[in-house]
């Protein structure tokens, strides 16, 4: 779905609250303790980056979640370039976190439950190559990500589960107006999320 299409959907609806739409019970339990000052980075592609960013940024231990693009061949792409196609990028979110408070495994476990990993063509009402899903993992992260994926596959089934673990890729931040969209525009994002049927589809895939 293009940016104009997203805003057209949002403008057509009058929904008063944001509803990201993933089951609350699926969230991992963060580790307790104060900020250690340590920082590590994880990279996820979960369809619309507004939603992926929102799913992570409220979690204890997460320092920041930035919307952008990964996996393509064009340096510093614009949103318009990516959605038009041809750059090879997908919408992605770079999550910076304190590993003393939340683990990489917890982040990956959380990620699966916020997407439909059975859809090879996008997510919800956002369809197309730029909305494909993936976990981008470094060499050190890959065994952890693969173990998490295997656990999720056991729930969904091998034949249905299509979201891959991919090699780490360069991340390019999106334009400023995309950052923190759900938090800064709760009514508009709520309309978009509900129109796309996120909650119903996630329940159908993962259960309640």
């Amino acid at each position: 779905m293009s940016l104009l299409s997203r805003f057209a959907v949002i403008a057509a609806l009058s929904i008063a609250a944001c509803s990201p739409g993933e089951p609350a019970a699926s969230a991992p339990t963060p580790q307790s303790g104060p900020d250690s000052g340590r920082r590590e980075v994880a990279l996820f592609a979960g369809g619309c980056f507004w939603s992926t960013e929102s799913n992570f940024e409220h979690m204890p231990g997460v320092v920041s979640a930035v919307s952008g693009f990964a996996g393509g061949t064009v340096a510093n792409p614009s949103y318009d370039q990516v959605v038009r196609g041809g750059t090879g990028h997908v919408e992605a979110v770079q999550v910076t976190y304190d590993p003393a408070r939340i683990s990489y495994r917890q982040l990956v476990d959380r990620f699966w439950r916020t997407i439909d990993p059975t859809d090879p063509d996008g997510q919800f009402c956002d369809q197309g190559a730029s909305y494909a899903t993936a976990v981008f993992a470094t060499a050190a992260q890959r065994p952890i990500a693969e173990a998490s994926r295997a656990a999720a596959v056991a729930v969904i089934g091998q034949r249905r589960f299509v979201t891959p673990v991919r090699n780490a890729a360069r991340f390019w931040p999106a334009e400023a107006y995309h950052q923190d969209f759900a938090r800064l525009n709760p009514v508009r994002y709520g309309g978009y999320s509900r129109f796309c049927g996120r909650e119903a589809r996630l329940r159908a895939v993962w259960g309640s």
Side-chain angles (χ1 to χ4, degrees), residues 131-205:
Y131 299 109
T133 56
V135 175
F136 289 93
T138 65
Q141 291 171 339
R142 179 174 279 276
I144 302 170
E146 293 284 10
S148 174
R149 185 182 188 277
V153 166
V155 176
I156 300 296
Q158 182 67 52
R159 295 182 62 183
R160 297 179 61 212
F161 202 105
V162 298
T163 300
V165 175
R166 295 176 56 179
N167 290 335
R170 175 72 183 269
F171 174 77
W172 302 95
E175 295 86 343
Y177 63 85
H178 283 298
Q179 307 302 330
D180 298 310
F181 187 88
R183 181 173 62 82
L184 297 176
N185 304 274
V187 174
R188 295 162 71 187
Y189 176 74
Y192 158 77
S193 180
R194 289 172 188 254
F195 173 83
C196 284
R198 292 180 57 84
E199 183 173 1
R201 182 56 189 161
L202 287 169
R203 280 206 197 97
V205 172

Side-chain angles (χ1 to χ4, degrees), residues 71-142:
T73 58
V74 175
N76 197 26
S78 69
Y79 177 82
D80 288 340
Q81 285 177 299
V82 172
V83 296
R84 281 200 305 266
T87 71
H89 292 88
V90 292
E91 293 196 12
V93 170
Q94 184 181 73
V95 178
T96 300
Y97 64 100
D98 178 356
R101 299 188 64 210
I102 191 167
S103 69
Y104 179 69
R105 174 62 188 261
Q106 287 175 304
L107 293 173
V108 184
D109 286 350
R110 169 64 170 170
F111 171 70
W112 302 125
R113 297 302 182 112
T114 66
I115 65 167
D116 174 4
T118 71
D119 187 347
D121 300 316
Q123 287 291 284
F124 313 105
C125 63
D126 292 311
Q127 297 291 299
S130 64
Y131 299 109
T133 56
V135 175
F136 289 93
T138 65
Q141 291 171 339
R142 179 174 279 276

Side-chain angles (χ1 to χ4, degrees), residues 26-72:
S26 67
T29 303
Q31 300 174 23
S32 61
D35 190 334
S36 72
R38 296 168 56 200
R39 298 292 182 262
E40 293 184 9
V41 173
L43 185 58
F44 302 98
C48 170
F49 48 31
W50 294 346
S51 299
T52 308
E53 181 189 76
S54 177
N55 290 330
F56 282 111
E57 64 183 358
H58 70 283
M59 297 179 69
V62 170
V63 178
S64 67
V66 178
S67 290
F69 314 102

